[in-house]
Amino acid sequence: MHIAHVATVLIWTISLASILCMLLRPYGIAEAYWACGGATLLVVARLIPLRQAGHAAYEGVDVYLFLTGMMILAELAREEQVFEWVADVAAQHAKNSAGRLFVLVYLVGTVVTALLSNDATAVVLTPAVLAVVRRVRVDPKPYLLACAFIANAASFVFPISNPANLVVFARHMPALGSWLRIFFLPSVASVLITFLCLRWISRKELRGECQRDPNPVSLSAGGKFALAALLLAAAALIASSALGLALGAPTCGAAILAMAVVTCRDHTITLRVVKGVSWSVLPLVAGLFVIVEALHYAGLLRLGLAGLQALAHTSTQVAKVTAALVVAFLSNGMNNLPVGLMSGAAIRHAPETGVVAHAILVGVDLGPNLSVTGSLATILWLIALRRENVEITAWEFFKVGIVAMPLAVIGSLLVLWS
């Protein structure tokens, strides 16, 4: 019994330390090394059987395929300047109004997140928006914060809008019709409330005027092919979701097809896209799958099931709000991907969850709008800003999030009926 207790303590210590280091990146070491290092240490120390760790990593195949497809589509759009062109079109339609430009950027971010995932908004749309707002000479922070916040606020419009959706529901993902019936109104509430909060907080910065851009961005022939391919890929993914198919293989297949279409005009695009994709995301996610499996082995699943059973003895409204807010705040401390993995396992093993499971998804997706370490998309957004020599501090993000996140979560839960 004593040995088992020591093993449990070691699993929790190694796992939580790995997640913390992944978020804080001490010594500048990339996130994937900490996640994979922690997973490897758990296996080498025989705290989790090798076969069980391998099975946990294999369970993430659909997520890996989904991420691969989305990263390829996003990088393809970046290479062909599709998002920069879209952002420039928004600037032209703003008619010199900083406030109107903010609305248009927010709408573009909503569409990109819904159709191409929140990671695409964070990684590709953010630099494009920054380039445009610099040219029209307005304060970039409201627009950059809009990219970050909408990446999470709109991430449950469709199942494809956030990789965390696949993690929470796994093989039990609702078909598109059921998804929209459950999450359409909460998504609308999330997007609108987050917008109103951002608009109010940035009201002073958005009173000014934009300067007219003398050098508008034109979409090249390759860009037009890339845009058409992206739209076809999005349509294919929505169709796959409507048919209740697993989303990983269709996403990856759509990305490869889009790449093939664009390659017909530009034979060098494939190599550039392959070089530009952040492939380290895949081992990072695999490492997290193993770490979470080890935590389940150490009693985490029992804790999750106990929590769900306790909520079952409360009213529906209390259960929804409690589950969503607990998961939301926990996501900011541990990142929503491992929290989504943990929550998903508890949901699948619970005899009856119903609306609580849907509330948990809202917490996992929307909760990270409180801190810059809350979601992978927000971390990628922060990295994209650093590459452009722009700094938005954790405190600046938190000051917006402490207002926007709780209001959006509560508003979404009020219209979450089943």
Side-chain angles (χ1 to χ4, degrees):
M1 180 63 70
H2 179 68
I3 294 176
H5 178 70
V6 171
T8 299
V9 172
L10 286 174
I11 289 174
W12 279 93
T13 302
I14 293 171
S15 299
L16 295 180
S18 299
I19 293 172
L20 183 63
C21 289
M22 182 193 77
L23 298 177
L24 300 180
R25 298 178 72 246
Y27 307 109
I29 298 173
E31 295 87 353
Y33 289 102
W34 294 111
C36 291
T40 302
L41 183 57
L42 288 168
V43 173
V44 171
R46 297 186 178 181
L47 296 170
I48 179 175
L50 177 59
R51 185 171 182 176
Q52 189 174 349
H55 179 73
Y58 175 76
E59 285 291 302
V61 167
D62 193 55
V63 178
Y64 311 146
L65 291 173
F66 179 83
L67 284 170
T68 298
M70 282 302 181
M71 289 191 295
I72 290 173
L73 289 170
E75 186 63 23
L76 180 63
R78 190 192 70 80
E79 282 289 337
E80 296 294 347
Q81 293 188 305
V82 172
F83 289 153
E84 189 166 341
W85 172 76
V86 171
D88 186 73
V89 170
Q92 293 175 39
H93 283 80
K95 298 180 180 179
N96 296 341
S97 168
R100 190 178 291 114
L101 177 59
F102 179 82
V103 174
L104 292 171
V105 166
Y106 193 86
L107 289 174
V108 170
T110 302
V111 173
V112 171
T113 298
L115 298 181
L116 291 176
S117 88
N118 57 348
D119 292 342
T121 300
V123 175
V124 187
L125 181 63
T126 299
V129 167
L130 178 61
V132 168
V133 297
R134 278 174 168 170
R135 290 203 302 271
V136 298
R137 298 185 180 180
V138 293
D139 186 345
K141 285 189 178 180
Y143 307 92
L144 298 177
L145 285 169
C147 291
F149 277 81
I150 194 57
N152 292 320
S155 64
F156 49 101
V157 174
F158 294 124
I160 62 174
S161 303
N162 192 339
N165 298 336
L166 279 69
V167 166
V168 172
F169 284 112
R171 297 176 183 176
H172 304 281
M173 177 74 70
L176 182 61
S178 298
W179 183 280
L180 292 176
R181 179 179 59 80
I182 297 166
F183 292 112
F184 177 72
L185 287 179
S187 295
V188 172
S190 172
V191 170
L192 285 178
I193 293 171
T194 303
F195 169 78
L196 292 173
C197 291
L198 287 169
R199 184 66 179 81
W200 180 78
I201 290 170
S202 304
R203 62 193 182 281
K204 292 181 180 179
E205 293 87 342
L206 298 178
R207 286 175 183 166
E209 291 187 354
C210 306
Q211 294 191 15
R212 187 173 295 277
D213 186 2
N215 300 306
V217 176
S218 59
L219 196 60
S220 65
K224 292 176 182 177
F225 268 86
L227 179 59
L230 287 171
L231 293 175
L232 287 173
L237 296 180
I238 293 173
S240 298
S241 179
L243 295 172
L245 302 176
L247 294 175
T251 304
C252 198
I256 293 172
L257 180 60
M259 180 79 72
V261 170
V262 178
T263 302
C264 292
R265 289 193 61 88
D266 184 355
H267 299 296
T268 66
I269 189 70
T270 300
L271 183 60
R272 299 205 309 272
V273 168
V274 170
K275 287 182 176 179
V277 169
S278 299
W279 296 108
S280 62
V281 170
L282 300 180
L284 183 153
V285 175
L288 288 175
F289 269 97
V290 174
I291 288 172
V292 171
E293 181 65 21
L295 289 172
H296 291 162
Y297 197 63
L300 178 65
L301 183 57
R302 290 193 299 274
L303 289 175
L305 290 173
L308 290 175
Q309 289 171 0
L311 291 175
H313 293 90
T314 64
S315 68
T316 301
Q317 291 299 326
V318 170
K320 283 197 306 183
V321 173
T322 302
L325 289 179
V326 167
V327 169
F329 284 105
L330 191 59
S331 294
N332 288 281
M334 293 183 64
N335 188 266
N336 72 335
L337 197 54
V339 171
L341 283 166
M342 299 172 193
S343 302
I347 290 169
R348 288 188 290 276
H349 284 83
E352 181 63 40
T353 53
V355 71
V356 173
H358 305 148
I360 286 173
L361 182 88
V362 172
V364 168
D365 282 4
L366 185 52
N369 267 349
L370 184 63
S371 72
V372 292
T373 58
S375 73
L376 179 60
T378 313
I379 293 173
L380 294 173
W381 169 82
L382 205 59
I383 293 171
L385 294 186
R386 287 170 183 162
R387 288 175 180 169
E388 300 291 337
N389 296 316
V390 174
E391 183 182 7
I392 293 181
T393 65
W395 175 243
E396 288 176 307
F397 191 95
F398 178 79
K399 285 192 297 184
V400 179
I402 195 63
V403 176
M405 188 277 279
L407 290 177
V409 169
I410 297 297
S412 298
L413 294 178
L414 289 176
V415 291
L416 179 67
W417 301 111
S418 62

